[in-house]
Coordinates of all heavy atoms in Angstrom, one line a residue:
M1046 N 10.8 -6.7 -0.9 CA 9.5 -6.9 -1.5 C 8.8 -5.5 -1.8 O 9.1 -4.5 -1.0 CB 8.6 -7.7 -0.6 CG 7.3 -8.2 -1.2 SD 6.4 -9.3 -0.1 CE 5.6 -8.0 0.8
K1047 N 8.0 -5.4 -2.8 CA 7.3 -4.1 -3.1 C 5.8 -4.4 -3.1 O 5.4 -5.6 -3.4 CB 7.8 -3.5 -4.4 CG 9.2 -3.0 -4.4 CD 9.6 -2.4 -5.7 CE 11.0 -1.9 -5.5 NZ 11.5 -1.3 -6.8
V1048 N 5.0 -3.4 -2.9 CA 3.6 -3.5 -2.9 C 2.9 -2.4 -3.7 O 3.4 -1.3 -3.7 CB 3.1 -3.6 -1.5 CG1 3.3 -2.4 -0.7 CG2 1.6 -4.0 -1.4
W1049 N 1.8 -2.7 -4.4 CA 1.0 -1.7 -5.0 C -0.5 -2.1 -4.9 O -0.8 -3.2 -4.8 CB 1.5 -1.4 -6.5 CG 1.4 -2.6 -7.4 CD1 2.3 -3.6 -7.5 CD2 0.4 -2.8 -8.4 NE1 1.9 -4.5 -8.5 CE2 0.8 -4.1 -9.1 CE3 -0.8 -2.2 -8.7 CZ2 0.0 -4.5 -10.0 CZ3 -1.6 -2.7 -9.8 CH2 -1.2 -3.9 -10.4
I1050 N -1.4 -1.1 -5.1 CA -2.8 -1.3 -5.1 C -3.4 -0.9 -6.5 O -3.0 0.1 -7.0 CB -3.4 -0.5 -4.0 CG1 -3.0 -1.0 -2.6 CG2 -5.0 -0.5 -4.1 CD1 -3.6 -0.1 -1.5
D1051 N -4.3 -1.8 -7.0 CA -5.0 -1.3 -8.2 C -6.2 -0.6 -7.7 O -7.3 -1.2 -7.2 CB -5.4 -2.6 -9.0 CG -6.2 -2.2 -10.2 OD1 -6.6 -1.1 -10.3 OD2 -6.3 -3.1 -11.1
Q1052 N -6.2 0.7 -7.7 CA -7.3 1.5 -7.1 C -8.6 1.3 -7.9 O -9.8 1.5 -7.3 CB -6.9 3.0 -7.1 CG -6.0 3.4 -5.9 CD -4.5 3.1 -6.1 OE1 -4.2 2.9 -7.3 NE2 -3.8 2.9 -5.1
D1053 N -8.6 0.8 -9.1 CA -9.8 0.5 -9.8 C -10.6 -0.5 -9.2 O -11.9 -0.6 -9.3 CB -9.5 0.1 -11.3 CG -9.0 1.3 -12.1 OD1 -9.2 2.4 -11.7 OD2 -8.4 1.0 -13.2
L1054 N -10.0 -1.4 -8.4 CA -10.7 -2.5 -7.7 C -10.9 -2.3 -6.2 O -11.6 -3.0 -5.6 CB -9.9 -3.8 -7.9 CG -9.7 -4.2 -9.4 CD1 -8.8 -5.5 -9.4 CD2 -11.0 -4.5 -10.0
C1055 N -10.3 -1.2 -5.7 CA -10.4 -1.0 -4.2 C -11.8 -0.6 -3.8 O -12.4 0.2 -4.4 CB -9.4 0.1 -3.9 SG -9.4 0.6 -2.2
T1056 N -12.3 -1.3 -2.7 CA -13.6 -1.1 -2.2 C -13.6 0.1 -1.2 O -14.8 0.5 -0.8 CB -14.2 -2.3 -1.6 OG1 -13.5 -2.6 -0.4 CG2 -14.2 -3.5 -2.5
G1057 N -12.5 0.5 -0.7 CA -12.5 1.5 0.2 C -12.8 1.2 1.7 O -13.0 2.1 2.5
D1058 N -12.8 -0.1 2.0 CA -13.1 -0.6 3.4 C -12.1 -0.2 4.4 O -12.3 -0.2 5.6 CB -13.4 -2.1 3.4 CG -12.2 -2.8 2.8 OD1 -11.4 -3.2 3.6 OD2 -12.2 -3.0 1.6
G1059 N -10.8 -0.1 3.9 CA -9.7 0.2 4.9 C -9.1 -0.8 5.6 O -8.3 -0.6 6.6
L1060 N -9.4 -2.1 5.3 CA -8.9 -3.3 6.0 C -7.4 -3.3 6.0 O -6.7 -3.6 6.9 CB -9.4 -4.6 5.4 CG -9.4 -5.8 6.2 CD1 -10.2 -5.5 7.5 CD2 -10.1 -6.9 5.4
C1061 N -6.8 -2.9 4.8 CA -5.3 -2.9 4.6 C -4.7 -2.0 5.6 O -3.7 -2.3 6.3 CB -4.9 -2.5 3.2 SG -5.8 -1.0 2.6
E1062 N -5.2 -0.8 5.9 CA -4.6 0.2 6.7 C -4.8 -0.3 8.2 O -3.9 0.0 9.0 CB -5.3 1.6 6.6 CG -4.6 2.6 7.4 CD -5.2 4.0 7.2 OE1 -6.3 4.1 6.9 OE2 -4.4 5.0 7.4
E1063 N -5.9 -1.0 8.5 CA -6.1 -1.5 9.8 C -5.0 -2.5 10.1 O -4.4 -2.6 11.3 CB -7.4 -2.2 9.9 CG -8.6 -1.3 10.2 CD -9.9 -1.9 10.3 OE1 -10.0 -3.1 10.8 OE2 -10.9 -1.4 9.7
I1064 N -4.6 -3.3 9.2 CA -3.6 -4.4 9.4 C -2.2 -3.8 9.3 O -1.3 -4.2 10.2 CB -3.8 -5.5 8.4 CG1 -5.1 -6.2 8.6 CG2 -2.7 -6.5 8.5 CD1 -5.5 -7.2 7.4
A1065 N -1.9 -2.9 8.4 CA -0.6 -2.4 8.2 C -0.6 -0.9 7.9 O -0.4 -0.5 6.8 CB 0.1 -3.2 7.0
P1066 N -0.8 -0.1 9.0 CA -1.0 1.4 8.8 C 0.3 2.0 8.4 O 0.3 3.2 7.9 CB -1.4 1.8 10.2 CG -1.0 0.8 11.1 CD -1.0 -0.6 10.3
A1067 N 1.5 1.3 8.5 CA 2.8 2.0 8.0 C 3.0 1.8 6.6 O 3.8 2.4 6.0 CB 3.9 1.3 8.8
V1068 N 2.0 1.1 5.9 CA 2.2 0.8 4.5 C 1.0 1.3 3.6 O 1.2 1.8 2.6 CB 2.4 -0.7 4.2 CG1 2.5 -1.0 2.7 CG2 3.7 -1.2 4.9
F1069 N -0.2 1.2 4.2 CA -1.4 1.6 3.5 C -2.1 2.8 4.1 O -2.1 3.0 5.3 CB -2.4 0.4 3.5 CG -1.8 -0.8 2.9 CD1 -1.4 -1.9 3.7 CD2 -1.6 -1.0 1.5 CE1 -0.9 -3.1 3.2 CE2 -1.1 -2.2 1.1 CZ -0.7 -3.2 1.9
F1070 N -2.7 3.7 3.3 CA -3.4 4.8 3.8 C -4.5 5.2 2.9 O -4.5 4.9 1.7 CB -2.4 6.0 4.0 CG -2.0 6.6 2.7 CD1 -2.5 7.8 2.2 CD2 -0.9 6.0 2.0 CE1 -2.0 8.4 1.1 CE2 -0.5 6.5 0.7 CZ -1.0 7.7 0.3
G1071 N -5.6 5.9 3.4 CA -6.7 6.3 2.6 C -6.6 7.7 2.2 O -5.9 8.5 3.0
Q1072 N -7.3 8.1 1.1 CA -7.3 9.5 0.7 C -8.7 10.0 0.7 O -9.7 9.2 0.8 CB -6.7 9.6 -0.7 CG -5.2 9.5 -0.7 CD -4.5 10.8 -0.2 OE1 -4.7 11.2 0.9 NE2 -3.8 11.5 -1.2
D1073 N -8.9 11.3 0.4 CA -10.2 11.9 0.3 C -11.1 11.3 -0.7 O -12.3 11.3 -0.7 CB -10.1 13.4 0.0 CG -9.5 14.1 1.3 OD1 -9.5 13.5 2.3 OD2 -9.1 15.2 1.1
D1074 N -10.5 10.6 -1.8 CA -11.3 10.0 -2.8 C -11.9 8.7 -2.4 O -12.6 8.0 -3.2 CB -10.4 9.8 -4.1 CG -9.2 8.9 -3.8 OD1 -9.1 8.3 -2.7 OD2 -8.4 8.8 -4.7
G1075 N -11.6 8.3 -1.1 CA -12.2 7.1 -0.6 C -11.5 5.8 -0.9 O -11.9 4.7 -0.7
L1076 N -10.4 6.0 -1.6 CA -9.6 4.8 -2.0 C -8.3 4.7 -1.2 O -7.9 5.7 -0.5 CB -9.2 5.0 -3.5 CG -10.4 5.0 -4.5 CD1 -9.9 5.3 -5.9 CD2 -11.2 3.8 -4.4
F1077 N -7.6 3.6 -1.3 CA -6.4 3.4 -0.5 C -5.2 3.3 -1.4 O -5.3 2.8 -2.5 CB -6.6 2.2 0.4 CG -7.5 2.6 1.6 CD1 -8.8 2.8 1.5 CD2 -6.9 2.8 2.9 CE1 -9.6 3.3 2.5 CE2 -7.7 3.2 4.0 CZ -9.0 3.4 3.8
Y1078 N -4.1 3.7 -0.8 CA -2.8 3.8 -1.5 C -1.6 3.3 -0.6 O -1.8 3.0 0.5 CB -2.6 5.3 -1.8 CG -3.6 5.9 -2.8 CD1 -4.8 6.4 -2.3 CD2 -3.4 5.9 -4.1 CE1 -5.8 6.8 -3.1 CE2 -4.4 6.4 -5.0 CZ -5.6 6.9 -4.5 OH -6.5 7.3 -5.3
V1079 N -0.5 3.2 -1.3 CA 0.7 2.7 -0.5 C 1.7 3.8 -0.3 O 1.7 4.8 -0.9 CB 1.4 1.5 -1.3 CG1 0.5 0.3 -1.3 CG2 1.8 1.9 -2.7
K1080 N 2.5 3.6 0.8 CA 3.5 4.6 1.1 C 4.7 4.0 1.7 O 4.8 2.8 2.1 CB 2.9 5.6 2.1 CG 2.6 4.9 3.5 CD 2.0 5.9 4.5 CE 1.6 5.3 5.8 NZ 0.9 6.2 6.8
E1081 N 5.8 4.8 1.7 CA 7.0 4.4 2.4 C 7.1 5.5 3.5 O 7.0 6.7 3.3 CB 8.2 4.5 1.5 CG 8.2 3.4 0.4 CD 9.4 3.5 -0.5 OE1 10.2 4.5 -0.4 OE2 9.4 2.7 -1.4
T1082 N 7.3 5.1 4.8 CA 7.3 6.1 5.8 C 8.8 6.5 6.1 O 9.8 5.9 5.8 CB 6.8 5.4 7.2 OG1 7.7 4.3 7.6 CG2 5.4 4.9 7.0
A1083 N 8.9 7.7 6.7 CA 10.2 8.3 7.2 C 10.9 7.3 8.2 O 12.1 7.2 8.1 CB 10.0 9.7 7.7
D1084 N 10.1 6.7 9.0 CA 10.7 5.8 10.0 C 11.5 4.7 9.3 O 12.6 4.3 9.8 CB 9.6 5.1 10.8 CG 9.1 6.0 11.9 OD1 9.7 7.1 12.1 OD2 8.1 5.6 12.6
N1085 N 11.0 4.3 8.2 CA 11.7 3.1 7.5 C 12.7 3.6 6.5 O 13.6 2.9 6.2 CB 10.6 2.2 6.9 CG 9.9 1.4 8.0 OD1 10.4 0.9 8.9 ND2 8.5 1.5 7.9
Y1086 N 12.4 4.7 5.8 CA 13.2 5.0 4.7 C 13.7 6.5 4.7 O 14.2 7.0 3.7 CB 12.4 4.8 3.3 CG 12.1 3.4 3.2 CD1 10.9 2.8 3.3 CD2 13.1 2.5 2.8 CE1 10.6 1.4 3.2 CE2 12.9 1.1 2.6 CZ 11.7 0.7 2.8 OH 11.4 -0.7 2.6
G1087 N 13.7 7.1 5.8 CA 14.3 8.4 5.9 C 13.4 9.6 5.5 O 13.6 10.7 6.0
E1088 N 12.5 9.3 4.6 CA 11.6 10.3 4.1 C 10.2 9.7 3.7 O 10.3 8.5 3.3 CB 12.1 11.2 3.0 CG 12.3 10.4 1.7 CD 12.7 11.2 0.5 OE1 12.3 12.4 0.4 OE2 13.4 10.7 -0.4
E1089 N 9.1 10.4 4.0 CA 7.9 9.8 3.6 C 7.6 10.0 2.1 O 7.8 11.1 1.5 CB 6.7 10.5 4.4 CG 5.4 9.8 4.1 CD 4.4 10.2 5.2 OE1 3.7 11.3 5.0 OE2 4.2 9.4 6.1
K1090 N 7.1 8.9 1.5 CA 6.8 8.9 0.1 C 5.4 8.3 -0.1 O 5.2 7.1 0.3 CB 7.9 8.0 -0.6 CG 8.2 8.4 -2.0 CD 9.4 7.7 -2.5 CE 9.6 7.9 -4.0 NZ 10.7 7.2 -4.6
L1091 N 4.5 9.1 -0.6 CA 3.1 8.7 -0.8 C 2.9 8.3 -2.3 O 3.1 9.2 -3.1 CB 2.1 9.8 -0.4 CG 2.3 10.3 1.1 CD1 1.3 11.4 1.3 CD2 2.2 9.2 2.1
F1092 N 2.5 7.2 -2.6 CA 2.2 6.8 -4.0 C 0.8 6.9 -4.3 O 0.0 5.9 -4.4 CB 2.7 5.3 -4.3 CG 4.2 5.2 -4.1 CD1 4.8 4.9 -2.8 CD2 5.0 5.4 -5.2 CE1 6.2 4.8 -2.7 CE2 6.4 5.3 -5.0 CZ 7.0 5.0 -3.8
D1093 N 0.3 8.2 -4.3 CA -1.2 8.4 -4.4 C -1.5 9.2 -5.7 O -2.6 9.7 -5.9 CB -1.6 9.2 -3.2 CG -1.0 10.5 -3.1 OD1 0.0 10.8 -3.8 OD2 -1.4 11.3 -2.2
G1094 N -0.5 9.3 -6.6 CA -0.7 9.9 -7.9 C -0.6 11.5 -7.8 O -0.8 12.1 -8.7
T1095 N -0.2 11.9 -6.7 CA 0.1 13.4 -6.5 C 1.6 13.7 -6.9 O 1.9 14.3 -7.9 CB -0.2 13.9 -5.1 OG1 -1.6 13.5 -4.8 CG2 -0.1 15.4 -5.1
N1096 N 2.5 13.3 -6.0 CA 3.9 13.5 -6.3 C 4.6 12.3 -6.8 O 5.6 12.3 -7.5 CB 4.6 14.0 -5.1 CG 4.2 15.4 -4.7 OD1 4.1 16.3 -5.5 ND2 3.8 15.5 -3.4
N1097 N 4.0 11.2 -6.6 CA 4.5 9.9 -7.0 C 3.3 9.1 -7.6 O 2.1 9.3 -7.3 CB 5.0 9.0 -5.8 CG 6.1 9.8 -5.1 OD1 7.2 9.9 -5.8 ND2 5.9 10.2 -3.9
P1098 N 3.6 8.2 -8.6 CA 2.5 7.6 -9.3 C 1.7 6.7 -8.4 O 2.2 6.1 -7.4 CB 3.1 6.7 -10.4 CG 4.6 6.6 -10.0 CD 4.9 7.9 -9.2
A1099 N 0.4 6.4 -8.7 CA -0.4 5.4 -8.0 C -0.5 4.2 -8.9 O 0.2 4.1 -9.9 CB -1.8 6.0 -7.7
G1100 N -1.3 3.2 -8.5 CA -1.5 2.0 -9.3 C -0.2 1.2 -9.5 O 0.7 1.3 -8.6
S1101 N -0.1 0.5 -10.6 CA 1.0 -0.4 -10.8 C 2.3 0.4 -11.0 O 3.4 -0.2 -10.8 CB 0.8 -1.3 -12.0 OG 0.6 -0.5 -13.1
E1102 N 2.2 1.6 -11.2 CA 3.5 2.4 -11.4 C 4.0 2.9 -10.1 O 5.1 3.3 -9.9 CB 3.2 3.7 -12.2 CG 2.7 3.4 -13.6 CD 3.8 2.7 -14.5 OE1 4.9 3.1 -14.5 OE2 3.4 1.6 -15.1
G1103 N 3.1 2.8 -9.0 CA 3.5 3.3 -7.7 C 3.7 2.2 -6.7 O 2.9 1.9 -6.0
M1104 N 4.9 1.7 -6.8 CA 5.3 0.6 -6.0 C 6.1 1.0 -4.7 O 7.1 1.7 -4.8 CB 6.1 -0.5 -6.7 CG 5.2 -1.4 -7.5 SD 6.2 -2.7 -8.1 CE 6.2 -2.3 -9.7
A1105 N 5.6 0.7 -3.5 CA 6.3 1.1 -2.3 C 7.1 -0.1 -1.8 O 6.7 -1.3 -1.9 CB 5.3 1.5 -1.2
R1106 N 8.3 0.2 -1.4 CA 9.1 -0.9 -0.7 C 8.5 -1.2 0.6 O 7.9 -0.4 1.3 CB 10.5 -0.4 -0.5 CG 11.3 -0.1 -1.8 CD 12.6 0.5 -1.6 NE 12.4 2.0 -1.2 CZ 13.4 2.8 -0.8 NH1 14.7 2.4 -0.8 NH2 13.1 4.0 -0.5
V1107 N 8.6 -2.5 0.9 CA 8.1 -3.0 2.2 C 9.3 -3.4 3.1 O 10.1 -4.4 2.8 CB 7.2 -4.2 2.0 CG1 6.6 -4.8 3.3 CG2 6.0 -3.9 1.0
P1108 N 9.4 -2.8 4.3 CA 10.5 -3.2 5.2 C 10.3 -4.6 5.7 O 9.1 -5.1 5.7 CB 10.4 -2.3 6.4 CG 9.3 -1.3 6.1 CD 8.6 -1.8 4.8
D1109 N 11.4 -5.3 5.9 CA 11.3 -6.8 6.3 C 10.3 -7.1 7.5 O 9.6 -8.0 7.4 CB 12.6 -7.3 6.7 CG 13.6 -7.5 5.4 OD1 13.1 -7.4 4.3 OD2 14.8 -7.6 5.7
N1110 N 10.3 -6.2 8.5 CA 9.4 -6.4 9.6 C 8.0 -6.2 9.3 O 7.1 -6.5 10.1 CB 9.9 -5.5 10.8 CG 9.7 -4.1 10.5 OD1 9.9 -3.6 9.3 ND2 9.3 -3.3 11.4
L1111 N 7.6 -5.7 8.1 CA 6.2 -5.5 7.8 C 5.7 -6.5 6.7 O 4.5 -6.5 6.3 CB 6.0 -4.1 7.3 CG 6.2 -3.0 8.4 CD1 6.0 -1.7 7.8 CD2 5.2 -3.2 9.5
I1112 N 6.6 -7.4 6.2 CA 6.3 -8.2 5.1 C 5.1 -9.1 5.5 O 4.1 -9.3 4.7 CB 7.5 -9.1 4.6 CG1 8.4 -8.2 3.9 CG2 7.0 -10.3 3.8 CD1 9.7 -8.9 3.5
E1113 N 5.1 -9.7 6.7 CA 4.0 -10.5 7.1 C 2.7 -9.9 7.1 O 1.7 -10.4 6.7 CB 4.4 -11.1 8.5 CG 3.8 -12.5 8.8 CD 4.4 -13.1 10.0 OE1 5.6 -13.2 10.1 OE2 3.6 -13.3 11.0
S1114 N 2.6 -8.7 7.7 CA 1.3 -8.0 7.7 C 0.8 -7.5 6.4 O -0.3 -7.4 6.1 CB 1.3 -6.8 8.7 OG 2.5 -6.0 8.6
V1115 N 1.8 -7.2 5.5 CA 1.4 -6.8 4.1 C 0.8 -8.0 3.4 O -0.1 -7.9 2.7 CB 2.6 -6.2 3.4 CG1 2.3 -6.0 1.9 CG2 2.9 -4.8 3.9
I1116 N 1.4 -9.2 3.5 CA 0.9 -10.4 3.0 C -0.5 -10.7 3.5 O -1.4 -11.0 2.7 CB 1.8 -11.6 3.2 CG1 3.1 -11.5 2.4 CG2 1.2 -13.0 2.9 CD1 4.2 -12.5 2.7
E1117 N -0.7 -10.5 4.9 CA -2.0 -10.7 5.4 C -3.0 -9.8 4.9 O -4.1 -10.1 4.5 CB -1.9 -10.5 6.9 CG -3.3 -10.8 7.7 CD -3.2 -10.5 9.1 OE1 -2.1 -10.3 9.6 OE2 -4.3 -10.4 9.7
S1118 N -2.6 -8.5 4.6 CA -3.5 -7.5 4.0 C -3.9 -7.9 2.6 O -5.1 -7.8 2.3 CB -2.8 -6.1 3.9 OG -2.5 -5.7 5.2
A1119 N -3.0 -8.4 1.8 CA -3.3 -8.8 0.5 C -4.2 -10.0 0.5 O -5.2 -10.2 -0.3 CB -2.0 -9.2 -0.3
E1120 N -4.0 -10.9 1.5 CA -4.9 -12.1 1.6 C -6.3 -11.7 2.0 O -7.3 -12.3 1.5 CB -4.3 -13.1 2.6 CG -3.1 -13.8 2.0 CD -2.4 -14.7 3.1 OE1 -2.7 -14.6 4.2 OE2 -1.5 -15.5 2.7
E1121 N -6.5 -10.8 2.9 CA -7.7 -10.3 3.4 C -8.5 -9.3 2.6 O -9.7 -9.2 2.7 CB -7.6 -9.7 4.8 CG -7.0 -10.7 5.9 CD -7.9 -11.8 6.2 OE1 -9.1 -11.6 6.2 OE2 -7.4 -12.9 6.5
C1122 N -7.8 -8.7 1.7 CA -8.3 -7.6 0.9 C -9.6 -8.0 0.1 O -9.4 -8.9 -0.9 CB -7.2 -7.1 -0.1 SG -7.9 -5.9 -1.3
P1123 N -10.7 -7.5 0.4 CA -11.9 -7.9 -0.3 C -11.9 -7.6 -1.9 O -12.6 -8.2 -2.6 CB -13.1 -7.2 0.4 CG -12.4 -6.1 1.1 CD -11.0 -6.5 1.4
G1124 N -11.2 -6.6 -2.3 CA -11.1 -6.2 -3.7 C -10.1 -7.0 -4.4 O -10.0 -6.9 -5.6
E1125 N -9.3 -7.8 -3.7 CA -8.2 -8.6 -4.3 C -7.3 -7.7 -5.2 O -7.0 -8.1 -6.3 CB -8.8 -9.9 -5.0 CG -9.5 -10.8 -4.2 CD -9.9 -12.1 -4.9 OE1 -9.7 -12.2 -6.1 OE2 -10.5 -12.9 -4.2
C1126 N -7.0 -6.5 -4.6 CA -6.3 -5.6 -5.4 C -5.0 -5.1 -4.9 O -4.5 -4.1 -5.3 CB -7.2 -4.4 -5.7 SG -7.9 -3.6 -4.2
I1127 N -4.5 -5.9 -3.9 CA -3.1 -5.6 -3.4 C -2.2 -6.6 -4.0 O -2.3 -7.8 -3.9 CB -3.1 -5.7 -1.8 CG1 -4.1 -4.7 -1.2 CG2 -1.7 -5.6 -1.3 CD1 -4.2 -4.8 0.3
F1128 N -1.2 -6.0 -4.6 CA -0.2 -6.9 -5.4 C 1.1 -6.8 -4.9 O 1.6 -5.7 -4.5 CB -0.2 -6.5 -6.9 CG -1.6 -6.7 -7.5 CD1 -2.5 -5.7 -7.6 CD2 -1.9 -8.0 -8.0 CE1 -3.8 -5.9 -8.1 CE2 -3.2 -8.2 -8.6 CZ -4.1 -7.2 -8.6
L1129 N 1.9 -7.9 -4.7 CA 3.2 -8.0 -4.1 C 4.2 -8.4 -5.3 O 3.8 -9.2 -6.2 CB 3.2 -9.0 -3.0 CG 2.1 -8.9 -2.0 CD1 2.3 -10.0 -1.0 CD2 2.3 -7.6 -1.2
E1130 N 5.3 -7.8 -5.3 CA 6.4 -8.0 -6.2 C 7.7 -8.2 -5.5 O 7.9 -7.6 -4.5 CB 6.5 -7.0 -7.3 CG 5.1 -6.8 -8.0 CD 5.3 -6.2 -9.4 OE1 6.4 -6.1 -9.9 OE2 4.3 -6.0 -10.0
A1131 N 8.5 -9.2 -6.0 CA 9.8 -9.4 -5.3 C 10.7 -8.2 -5.5 O 10.6 -7.4 -6.4 CB 10.4 -10.6 -6.0
Ligands
SF4_1438 S1 -8.2 -3.9 1.8 FE1 -8.1 -3.8 -0.4 S2 -10.2 -3.2 -1.1 FE2 -9.9 -2.7 1.1 S3 -9.2 -0.6 1.2 FE3 -7.4 -1.9 1.2 S4 -6.8 -2.0 -1.0 FE4 -8.9 -1.3 -0.9

């Protein structure tokens, strides 16, 4: 499964990172982004528009053990801006 955030709709409350800190993170712009961690994929990859694209172009892979919490994040997200793809 892959996940991405539409930053245009993100409220910046940080609920996603509270639920799944290994997948979501906040930036200085007050918005939240997705990432792949070194623990799960050997190297850290931040999809924040700096070295890798953000938004729908920046899809992070979700490890199997985090799928449940990522789904919960998407369900709880007040901006309804966390999107999952197979
Ligand atoms: S839960 Fe949704 S609205 Fe809140 S910070 Fe995360 S992506 Fe943005």
Side-chain angles (χ1 to χ4, degrees):
M1046 192 175 85
K1047 293 182 176 177
V1048 62
W1049 60 279
I1050 292 175
D1051 182 346
Q1052 279 81 24
D1053 287 343
L1054 301 174
C1055 177
T1056 69
D1058 58 86
L1060 202 56
C1061 50
E1062 187 178 27
E1063 278 179 39
I1064 298 171
V1068 176
F1069 303 104
F1070 69 103
Q1072 282 285 65
D1073 292 345
D1074 60 8
L1076 302 175
F1077 282 71
Y1078 296 84
V1079 294
K1080 65 181 176 181
E1081 294 177 357
T1082 65
D1084 279 355
N1085 290 311
Y1086 293 107
E1088 63 173 331
E1089 185 164 81
K1090 210 168 171 185
L1091 307 178
F1092 295 89
D1093 62 353
T1095 306
N1096 294 311
N1097 300 293
S1101 60
E1102 299 296 311
M1104 275 190 253
R1106 292 171 288 176
V1107 179
D1109 288 347
N1110 62 324
L1111 294 176
I1112 286 178
E1113 212 169 295
S1114 43
V1115 167
I1116 289 172
E1117 185 187 344
S1118 298
E1120 287 173 349
E1121 298 294 326
C1122 171
E1125 297 184 359
C1126 55
I1127 297 175
F1128 297 92
L1129 309 175
E1130 299 206 6

